[in-house]
Amino acid sequence: MTAVVTLGIDHVGLTVRSVAGLVSSLLPRMSGLDSKGRQAEYRAAYISDGSCVVTLWQLKEKGPNCEFDRLGHIGLHHLAFKVSGEAELRSAFERVGAWPGVVVEFAPEFSGKGPKVHFMINEPGGTRIEFAWDPR
């Protein structure tokens, strides 16, 4: 049997409480991230760093929604952004942690025993976002 060959992540899809809110929070605050358009009839917006595309779908209000429980829900766990160095990671933490409505889940720390270092936030709509640097 022939193995499947991949070339990395093509895109990540997220359902969020507010597409407009997340786009207006991320784009002005993250260098290199650009809007790639919207589809009103599809209730979607697209953002990219030139390598990976993130599709954002607007939540359709059908009833009560609950906050994400990483051990109790099947589906997206979080969205992770890679940064180029430890200084950039710490700088990102200072900037992102100060965004209005952001909840810091944890400050930069080793992922497991390291050497990868990461931090996690919850954006105002509740989506978990990780920023990581791996010296390997």
Side-chain angles (χ1 to χ4, degrees):
M1 181 178 284
T2 305
V4 175
V5 177
T6 65
L7 299 175
I9 296 172
D10 177 64
H11 71 278
V12 174
L14 300 173
T15 299
V16 297
R17 285 198 176 100
S18 172
V19 166
L22 185 55
V23 169
S24 67
S25 292
L26 283 179
L27 291 181
R29 295 177 172 92
M30 290 184 69
S31 177
L33 204 58
D34 296 308
S35 173
K36 296 299 177 191
R38 293 179 183 231
Q39 279 185 291
E41 69 281 359
Y42 196 50
R43 299 170 50 99
Y46 307 92
I47 58 178
S48 177
D49 64 0
S51 176
C52 180
V53 173
V54 178
T55 304
L56 303 169
W57 287 283
Q58 179 69 45
L59 175 70
K60 183 176 181 183
E61 297 293 338
K62 280 191 167 182
N65 295 297
C66 61
E67 295 299 318
F68 180 77
D69 173 355
R70 70 181 185 87
L71 299 177
H73 289 97
I74 296 172
L76 181 73
H77 186 272
H78 67 278
L79 170 64
F81 290 102
K82 179 173 36 174
V83 299
S84 61
E86 187 170 12
E88 290 80 3
L89 181 72
R90 301 216 179 266
S91 176
F93 176 71
E94 295 301 319
R95 291 191 318 263
V96 171
W99 293 352
V102 162
V103 175
V104 174
E105 189 172 322
F106 57 85
E109 64 181 29
F110 282 128
S111 177
K113 294 181 180 179
K116 185 178 200 175
V117 181
H118 67 152
F119 70 89
M120 190 81 71
I121 63 143
N122 289 275
E123 58 85 22
T127 302
R128 296 175 77 228
I129 301 176
E130 176 185 18
F131 292 81
W133 169 65
D134 193 329
R136 295 173 282 198

